[in-house]
Amino acid sequence: MTATAETKDRLRKVVVEALRLDRDPASVPDEGLRETLDIDSVAGLELLIWVENEFGIQIDDEDLSVLLVDSLNVLGDYVEERLARTGTGATTDTAAHTDAVPIAGTL
C-alpha cells in the first residue's frame, strides 16, 4: 500500500525543515532523495529523528534503512504502519520495510 498524500505532504515539510533546505516542500521528490537532496549518513539520521518527533513514533534500530531516507513512499508506508501499530493512524501494508538494508555504513 502506498502512503497517503497527507502523510507524504507532512514528510516533505519535515524533510525541508530537518535538512534546512531553501525549497518549497512540494518540490521534494518521492524517490531518489539521497542523491537529489545530497543526504549523507548524518543528515539521514537527523531526518529520521525529525520524523519520529513529527509523527510520535519510534523507528526501531533493526528497521533503520537507506530506503527510509531515499524514498518518501517507503518512509510514508513505514510511518503509517507504525502509527497503525500504536493505534494512532490508518492501517497500511507492513511489508513496506521488510527488504530494508541496514543504514550503518551505507549512507
Side-chain angles (χ1 to χ4, degrees):
M1 180 176 220
T2 303
T4 65
E6 179 183 345
T7 297
K8 288 184 0 182
D9 286 346
R10 282 177 69 188
L11 286 171
R12 282 185 175 88
K13 290 175 186 171
V14 169
V15 167
V16 168
E17 291 175 16
L19 303 178
R20 297 166 200 80
L21 301 175
D22 185 23
R23 69 187 302 156
D24 182 354
S27 71
V28 174
D30 283 351
E31 302 290 334
L33 299 175
R34 289 178 56 231
E35 183 176 330
T36 303
L37 304 176
D38 197 29
I39 299 174
D40 62 15
S41 59
V42 173
L45 290 174
E46 185 174 351
L47 171 59
L48 294 178
I49 291 168
W50 276 69
V51 169
E52 287 179 326
N53 291 331
E54 171 70 19
F55 290 92
I57 62 169
Q58 178 70 39
I59 298 173
D60 295 331
D61 290 346
E62 61 269 13
D63 293 336
L64 291 176
S65 165
V66 170
L67 298 175
L68 289 177
V69 296
D70 197 43
S71 168
L72 282 184
N73 294 318
V74 172
L75 183 56
D77 285 347
Y78 182 83
V79 165
E80 289 180 353
E81 184 267 329
R82 296 301 293 184
L83 290 171
R85 243 193 243 175
T86 61
T88 58
T91 58
T92 65
D93 184 352
T94 58
H97 64 278
T98 57
D99 296 326
V101 176
I103 211 169
T106 56
L107 278 179

